[in-house]
Amino acid sequence: MTSFQKRVFSGVQPTGTLHLGNYLGAIKNFVELQKEFECIYCVVDQHAITVEQNPKELRSNTLEVLASFIAAGVDYKKQIIFQQSSVAEHSQLAWVFNCVSRIGWLNRMTQFKDKAGKNRENVSVGLMVYPNLMAADILAYLATHVPVGDDQKQHLELSRDIAQKFNNDFKVDFFPLPEPLIYGNATRVMSLRDGTKKMSKSDASELSRILLTDSDDDISSKIRKAKSDSDLIPEDKDQLQNKHECLNLINILSACLDQSIEKTLAGYAGKEYSKLKNDLADTLIQVVGPVRKEIRNLLDNKDELNKILQVGSEKASTIAGPIIKEVYKIVGFR
Ligand code: AQP
C-alpha cells in the first residue's frame, strides 16, 4: 500500500457572499490546518455553474471568495489558492471519473435530490455529476484530507468510492482514499429563520444568514430577529434536541468561543433568549468585524487579487499536471 504525502484540499463555490456556515464549518478549519499540512484551497467556479449564474456576478464573487479566504487568515504565500476553471486538469480528471462513477451512486446523493427537487428532468447534467468533479478536484492533487461542513460528507464518501473503484478497475494503488475532516461545534450551522434547514447562500431570506460582509448593525438586527421560542433556555443538552433554533444559537456561540456546548449552555440555562442573543451578537461582531474590514481592503485592489489567482493556478498546475499524465497512461490514453 502506497503511503501518500499528507495534503489538504478544499473548495468553496463563488455562488454569493460567504456566510457564517461557510466560515465556521469550513474556512476557520482551513486556517487551522495550515499549521500542520500543505494546503490547496480552490474557488470552485465550475461547480457554481451547475445552477444558473450571472457571468458578471460570478467573476466578482470569485474575487470575493478569494478575499474571504485571505481575510480569514489563509496564507496565500505559503499555501496555494486558485480558481478551478484556470486549471484544466480538473475537467480532464472529471471526465475519467464520469466513466468510473456509477449512475446509481449519483442517484443516492441527497444534495442532488434537494437541489433538483421536483424539477429533476430539467436540472443540468452538471448538477448530477457535481460529485464526480468534486472527486477530481481532490484527487488531481492526490489530496489525503478534506475539511468540509457536514453537508459534504456524502460527497466525500463518493470521492473515496471513486478512488477505490479506479484503483481496483486498473489494478493500481494510485489514488489515496481522501478523509473528510468534519469537526468543531459548527459542522452544520442552521438557518436563523428555520433551525431545521442549513444556513445557505441560496436561501431566499437574507435574515436566514450572517454574511462575512455584514455590518455590526446587520449582525445585531439579524440575531435579534432570529427565530426562538417563548420558553426559558433549557438546562441540559438533551432538552435541546427538539429546540432546533435554540440549539443552533448555542452551537454558533460555542464555535465562536471555541468551547463545549455544555459550557455555553451552563451560562444561559433558565434565562431568557434576550441575554443569549445580546451576547451572541457581540461575539459575532468581534469575529466577523475584522474579517469584513479585511475583505473590503482586499477588494479595493482587484489587480492584486487577480495576480494571486494567477500565481496560485500556476502552482496548482505544476502539481496536477504530472498526476493527470499518469492517470492518462493508466487508462490507456497514451
Ligand atoms: N450551513 C453550513 N454549516 C456548516 N458548513 C457549511 N458549508 C456550507 N454551508 C454550511 C460548508 O462550506 C463549504 C463551502 O460550501 P459551498 O459554498 O461550496 O457549497 P454549499 O455547501 O452548497 O454552501 P451553500 O452556502 O449552501 O451554497 P449554495 O446555496 O450556493 O448551495 C463546504 O465545506 C460546506 O460544507
Side-chain angles (χ1 to χ4, degrees):
M1 182 83 188
T2 310
S3 127
F4 292 93
Q5 182 192 331
K6 280 187 181 175
R7 183 179 280 154
V8 162
F9 179 96
S10 197
V12 174
Q13 297 186 78
T15 39
T17 297
L18 300 192
H19 52 72
L20 200 59
N22 300 131
Y23 178 73
L24 295 175
I27 300 174
K28 191 166 176 249
N29 295 341
F30 292 4
V31 176
E32 277 301 303
L33 289 164
Q34 301 179 108
K35 293 182 197 149
E36 199 191 327
F37 291 93
E38 173 196 1
C39 300
I40 304 176
Y41 296 128
C42 185
V43 186
V44 287
D45 52 352
Q46 288 176 284
H47 284 281
I49 63 160
T50 55
V51 295
E52 198 178 336
Q53 299 294 329
N54 171 315
K56 205 168 153 212
E57 281 170 21
L58 181 63
R59 214 165 285 126
S60 88
N61 285 337
T62 296
L63 292 188
E64 198 179 284
V65 172
L66 170 70
S68 305
F69 283 172
I70 300 171
V74 176
D75 183 346
Y76 67 89
K77 291 188 180 135
K78 283 207 187 121
Q79 312 298 344
I80 300 179
I81 319 185
F82 73 106
Q83 183 176 5
Q84 187 185 28
S85 59
S86 7
V87 178
E89 282 80 2
H90 290 247
S91 310
Q92 293 175 316
L93 187 56
W95 182 257
V96 174
F97 285 170
N98 280 343
C99 303
V100 172
S101 182
R102 304 288 97 178
I103 289 177
W105 298 355
L106 295 171
N107 270 333
R108 285 198 288 276
M109 295 296 111
T110 51
Q111 193 178 81
F112 175 70
K113 288 187 207 159
D114 290 347
K115 290 203 171 177
K118 292 198 178 87
N119 201 22
R120 221 181 149 109
E121 293 297 309
N122 279 320
V123 293
S124 73
V125 174
L127 192 65
M128 186 164 201
V129 296
Y130 177 117
N132 296 345
L133 176 59
M134 180 164 158
D137 298 335
I138 299 161
L139 294 167
Y141 303 91
L142 303 182
T144 53
H145 293 81
V146 187
V148 282
D150 186 59
D151 60 317
Q152 292 297 330
K153 189 170 174 215
Q154 198 186 28
H155 289 167
L156 242 299
E157 280 158 10
L158 192 97
S159 295
R160 292 169 64 88
D161 290 343
I162 290 174
Q164 180 86 68
K165 186 167 189 303
F166 181 96
N167 288 345
N168 289 346
D169 287 355
F170 295 100
K171 299 183 180 44
V172 288
D173 190 13
F174 187 74
F175 286 121
L177 306 190
E179 291 203 21
L181 296 175
I182 302 174
Y183 59 91
N185 284 326
T187 55
R188 186 176 281 260
V189 176
M190 309 309 278
S191 156
L192 298 176
R193 305 300 302 162
D194 176 353
T196 62
K197 263 171 62 186
K198 155 182 120 95
M199 186 177 284
S200 174
K201 294 185 217 97
S202 50
D203 192 302
S205 168
E206 293 268 328
L207 291 177
S208 68
R209 55 188 173 265
I210 302 284
L211 301 177
L212 295 186
T213 52
D214 273 345
S215 68
D216 294 353
D217 284 349
D218 291 335
I219 295 173
S220 298
S221 148
K222 286 180 184 178
I223 295 297
R224 213 174 35 247
K225 291 179 187 157
K227 192 173 166 206
S228 52
D229 53 64
S230 50
D231 299 339
L232 297 177
I233 295 176
E235 311 240 325
D236 74 72
K237 210 174 142 187
D238 292 342
Q239 294 169 291
L240 280 179
Q241 289 323 309
N242 291 322
K243 287 185 165 288
H244 304 290
E245 284 80 17
C246 182
L247 177 62
N248 190 34
L249 299 178
I250 295 281
N251 272 343
I252 296 175
L253 186 55
S254 307
C256 290
L257 298 175
D258 278 321
Q259 67 183 27
S260 70
I261 296 172
E262 287 79 1
K263 185 165 181 205
T264 308
L265 195 55
Y268 298 96
K271 297 197 173 126
E272 292 182 355
Y273 278 91
S274 52
K275 164 94 179 108
L276 170 62
K277 286 186 171 182
N278 284 340
D279 290 353
L280 178 57
D282 288 347
T283 305
L284 285 174
I285 288 169
Q286 301 294 321
V287 171
V288 174
V291 178
R292 172 186 68 230
K293 279 186 204 124
E294 193 51 24
I295 292 175
R296 284 198 191 139
N297 285 341
L298 289 159
L299 285 173
D300 278 343
N301 193 345
K302 298 212 167 58
D303 287 347
E304 182 58 25
L305 290 175
N306 280 313
K307 242 186 258 159
I308 293 171
L309 284 181
Q310 171 70 29
V311 171
S313 299
E314 283 161 15
K315 287 197 220 162
S317 297
T318 309
I319 301 176
I323 292 170
I324 304 309
K325 266 207 178 115
E326 206 52 44
V327 171
Y328 273 23
K329 260 196 234 156
I330 292 171
V331 302
F333 288 169
R334 294 191 194 129

